[in-house]
Amino acid sequence: MPKRKSDSLLPDNKRRATDQQNFELYCQPSAALQTLLGSYLDDLKDARFDKVICNAQRGFTDLLSSMLAVLDLRALAYGQSMQVDKGLQDARLMIAYAPFKAAGYLRAGALYSQRSQQTEAMRVYKQGLKTIPKEETSERGLLEERYTQAQALRDRRVDFIKALPFDLVSAIITLLPKNTLYQALDVSSTWRHHVLQHSQLWSQLTLTQQRDMGLAYLPLVGQHVQTLELSSLGHGQCEEVFTAVINGMCRKLDFLHLSSSRINDYNRCLMALSQARNTLARLEIVLPKESPPFPLAAVLSTCNNLQRLYYAHYTAVATAATLGVVSTASTCPSLLDMELSFARIDTGALRKLLPCCPKLRRLSIDFCDITAIGAVRDCCPELAAFGFNRCIPMDEPQKGAVFSSTAIYQPRGIRHLAVSSLQGPEYDDLLPLLSENASALESLCFRFPCSSTPEEERIWRKLTDVTAFSNLRQLETNFSNHFGPMAGQLISRCPSLECLSIYFADYIGTDVSQAISGLSSLQLLHLSCVHGVQEDALLQMFQVLATYSSLHTLQLGEWEFKITGALLQAIANISSLKVIELSELDADRTAFQTFAQTLERRSSVHSIILGFLDCVSDDAIRHISSIQSLRRLALYDLENVTEDGLSYVYRNPRILLLAETLK
């Protein structure tokens, strides 16, 4: 019998395999695979390598099938929970792991069909047919079947525009955003007909650099456009719009707004304005700093029916040359409202421009010399509202009264005047304007000088002593300590005053307080940025106002002194108040709680606004929320109000609560 070979004569690999008793694994199996991997390790130790390889291959196949099944289940669950995008991600993983199996393609196609994307489903099925071998007849047959079904569904789509009643289609179309409407115009002639039939959808069109889709459709929808806004467009885009208007595609254009759009050559713009001259009633132009000045005179001579003009070029100086040559023949008799804002407006340019607008009812000019007031007085005989270096605060009823057709039959004179801060001798031109229109003025907005000289004080005292503003309903002003007596005298000369707003006051003394007390028709009182008061006079003022039944709105804010409990109680006793707004006031917490208790017992207030008040606590909110008449409560930045305080408001269903940044 032959001798057994020594172990030392065995090959190295055989010796290492038989001698090694422990095997190091770099990936630890899960608990579910511990038993299976244990048998593999036993075979390794017994040197049955072929068996290990065969079993591992079979196990890998089983694991891949299990992984595909798990991915398929999760993709199905995503689809059923309307998370189709996540389901498609799992379907793509199935295709990546097993590109020669139909499961991934079938799942992706089913998800696309769920979203009615039959074309995408057909594409996925076709991809599977190209990839899976022809020998896999059963899987290919299933893909072909699903491809046919998706194709049939795609060809069987229902056009809801044709199927639904007209009124229901109209309701759907009116809810669509502009970009979707643009896309609907390209679907079919039927869709285009329905979309274009709703002219109100296209009456206002805004074109911006970010949303330039409308430029391509302007020739199609321009026939319905009445308001056209161009915002931040480039020169080429502006040229496209002007070309459409020149070609008569915007025959109903009533309002054109150009904002920060670059226009290098105004010839095309003027041609467009000429084409729309019979319908254009409002024109607003806000030029960027790099644009050349707009030939304003050419606009006035071109647009026959222009009623409102707003022109702002904040870096340009308005001179007769930059505004264009103005002749008396270049008049615009229809223009009623004009606002001009430049870095500076030359008075000489105004004297040439204003005669072209003989029917102006409202004029606002910014950054003008005081001599411009004389030009306005000479050239605008029918002016009813004038803003000098500031805008004119006017509500809709006031605008209607100024621009109505019956306004020409009312007595002449400026009824609404707003003037920015002036100094020194500049008031020599303003005072005649005030005295001439004193009986006609309905609203006045201006501030007294910041500093004073004996001569200025004498001039103002003479004006307030002599002039009576018998028709003035609204006054907005601010004054320094020197002009407190004159401010009180001015207020006392306005017996019909309904709205008084003092936005800044160094000191409210006895003169002002007594003057306010005499306003029996006062409905709104606004006092803010008050640095100091004569407390006894102010207390007496609120006590007198409590005896009137007219005051319904009180707004107090940014007082630089501590408001006493007596003042708060006097305010709470004004039973006619419907709106109370308090902000940035310093008061004792106990005093404010007593104020809230008084409101709870006596007040008929409908709306309360409280902001930046450390004195408001949860207990105060509890009393306020118990006011029977309260319907609206706004709370802003109240450090000492918590959710516990708000819970009192939540229990009152009659109160609408607006609350921000509470503790």
Side-chain angles (χ1 to χ4, degrees), residues 561-635:
F561 56 92
K562 192 168 186 177
I563 185 170
T564 64
L567 282 177
L568 287 173
Q569 283 300 108
I571 294 171
N573 288 328
I574 305 177
S575 58
S576 61
L577 283 177
K578 305 301 180 185
V579 179
I580 298 177
E581 180 176 349
L582 307 177
S583 64
E584 298 188 56
L585 299 177
D586 183 16
D588 183 73
R589 187 178 300 185
T590 303
F592 193 89
Q593 184 172 339
T594 305
F595 165 74
Q597 291 175 338
T598 305
L599 288 178
E600 178 185 3
R601 294 193 308 267
R602 305 188 56 180
S603 178
S604 60
V605 65
H606 292 173
S607 176
I608 295 179
I609 304 170
L610 305 175
F612 303 95
L613 298 173
D614 295 338
C615 57
V616 182
S617 63
D618 289 343
D619 288 336
I621 296 299
R622 175 169 59 87
H623 293 295
I624 290 174
S625 62
S626 300
I627 299 175
Q628 294 298 316
S629 59
L630 190 64
R631 295 296 178 266
R632 181 176 180 269
L633 178 61
L635 309 175

Side-chain angles (χ1 to χ4, degrees), residues 338-340 361-370 372-373 376 383-395 398 402 413-422 427 429-430 433-434 437 440-448 460 469 472 474-478 503:
M338 183 165 65
E339 293 185 49
L340 303 176
R361 304 292 296 166
R362 183 172 74 164
L363 174 64
S364 179
I365 50 178
D366 280 344
F367 299 101
C368 293
D369 184 80
I370 189 64
I373 292 180
V376 172
L383 199 63
F386 179 38
F388 180 77
N389 291 340
R390 65 170 300 168
C391 63
I392 313 168
M394 295 174 62
D395 55 28
Q398 290 173 337
V402 167
I414 296 177
R415 301 202 294 273
H416 306 280
L417 178 62
V419 183
S420 182
S421 176
L422 301 175
Y427 281 100
D429 293 286
L430 173 63
L433 184 69
L434 284 173
N437 298 279
L441 275 175
E442 298 176 9
S443 70
L444 175 61
C445 179
F446 85 108
R447 64 172 298 173
F448 286 89
W460 278 104
F469 300 90
L472 194 67
Q474 180 177 335
L475 174 62
E476 295 183 14
T477 186
N478 41 8
Y503 286 101

Side-chain angles (χ1 to χ4, degrees), residues 178 198-205 221 224-228:
K178 273 291 194 298
H198 295 78
S199 58
Q200 74 277 7
L201 296 176
W202 308 105
S203 62
Q204 182 172 348
L205 190 62
V221 303
H224 304 299
V225 174
Q226 299 177 16
T227 299
L228 182 59

Side-chain angles (χ1 to χ4, degrees), residues 243-512:
T243 300
V245 177
I246 292 171
N247 293 335
M249 298 176 183
C250 302
R251 298 182 180 275
K252 297 180 180 179
L253 189 60
D254 172 79
F255 176 30
L256 177 61
H257 176 83
L258 301 172
S259 177
S260 302
S261 295
R262 187 177 180 84
I263 306 174
N264 297 333
D265 184 7
Y266 293 122
N267 289 330
R268 301 285 292 175
C269 181
L270 291 173
M271 292 174 64
L273 293 177
S274 177
Q275 178 67 31
R277 65 184 181 276
N278 293 327
T279 59
L280 190 65
R282 294 176 294 165
L283 176 62
E284 295 185 0
I285 303 172
V286 181
L287 295 180
K289 61 181 180 180
E290 63 272 10
S291 295
F294 199 85
L296 192 59
V299 174
L300 296 177
S301 61
T302 300
C303 302
N304 300 332
N305 294 310
L306 194 63
Q307 297 179 12
R308 168 172 168 75
L309 173 63
Y310 175 79
Y311 178 25
H313 198 174
Y314 303 114
T315 58
V317 176
T319 63
T322 57
L323 294 180
V325 178
V326 182
S327 64
T328 54
S330 304
T331 59
C332 186
S334 60
L335 191 63
L336 302 176
D337 185 8
M338 183 165 65
E339 293 185 49
L340 303 176
S341 184
F342 293 85
R344 185 173 62 83
I345 301 179
D346 182 65
T347 303
L350 278 178
R351 287 198 173 274
K352 290 188 176 182
L353 180 66
L354 293 179
C356 299
C357 320
K359 302 295 183 180
L360 270 182
R361 304 292 296 166
R362 183 172 74 164
L363 174 64
S364 179
I365 50 178
D366 280 344
F367 299 101
C368 293
D369 184 80
I370 189 64
T371 57
I373 292 180
V376 172
R377 292 171 61 197
D378 296 339
C379 303
C380 303
E382 297 188 13
L383 199 63
F386 179 38
F388 180 77
N389 291 340
R390 65 170 300 168
C391 63
I392 313 168
M394 295 174 62
D395 55 28
E396 291 304 319
Q398 290 173 337
K399 291 179 182 178
V402 167
F403 299 119
S404 67
S405 58
T406 59
I408 57 175
Y409 301 108
Q410 298 178 3
R412 287 192 176 186
I414 296 177
R415 301 202 294 273
H416 306 280
L417 178 62
V419 183
S420 182
S421 176
L422 301 175
Q423 291 295 332
E426 294 179 345
Y427 281 100
D428 291 341
D429 293 286
L430 173 63
L431 296 181
L433 184 69
L434 284 173
S435 59
E436 290 172 2
N437 298 279
S439 60
L441 275 175
E442 298 176 9
S443 70
L444 175 61
C445 179
F446 85 108
R447 64 172 298 173
F448 286 89
C450 296
S451 60
S452 66
T453 64
E455 179 62 20
E456 289 177 354
E457 293 182 16
R458 185 190 63 80
I459 294 174
W460 278 104
R461 189 174 291 107
K462 180 180 178 181
L463 173 72
T464 54
D465 286 345
V466 176
T467 307
F469 300 90
S470 57
N471 200 38
L472 194 67
R473 301 289 189 272
Q474 180 177 335
L475 174 62
E476 295 183 14
T477 186
N478 41 8
F479 50 86
S480 62
N481 190 26
H482 299 286
F483 284 90
M486 275 74 82
Q489 187 68 17
L490 173 63
I491 295 172
S492 66
R493 304 292 289 178
C494 307
S496 303
L497 203 61
E498 298 174 355
C499 301
L500 173 61
S501 298
I502 299 177
Y503 286 101
F504 172 86
D506 275 341
Y507 186 79
I508 295 181
T510 305
D511 296 323
V512 175

Side-chain angles (χ1 to χ4, degrees), residues 514-535:
Q514 289 181 350
I516 297 176
S517 301
L519 300 176
S520 59
S521 301
L522 190 64
Q523 299 177 13
L524 182 148
L525 177 60
H526 177 106
L527 304 175
S528 64
C529 296
V530 180
H531 293 179
V533 296
Q534 212 292 320
E535 185 176 340

Side-chain angles (χ1 to χ4, degrees), residues 82-122:
M82 304 308 294
Q83 302 180 70
V84 178
D85 289 331
K86 292 184 178 179
L88 287 172
Q89 292 178 4
D90 284 349
R92 295 187 189 103
L93 286 175
M94 294 171 64
I95 295 173
Y97 291 143
F100 299 109
K101 288 186 174 293
Y105 304 104
L106 291 171
R107 178 55 60 197
L111 290 170
Y112 278 124
S113 294
Q114 181 179 333
R115 287 204 303 198
S116 299
Q117 295 178 302
Q118 308 302 338
T119 302
E120 289 297 319
M122 293 167 58

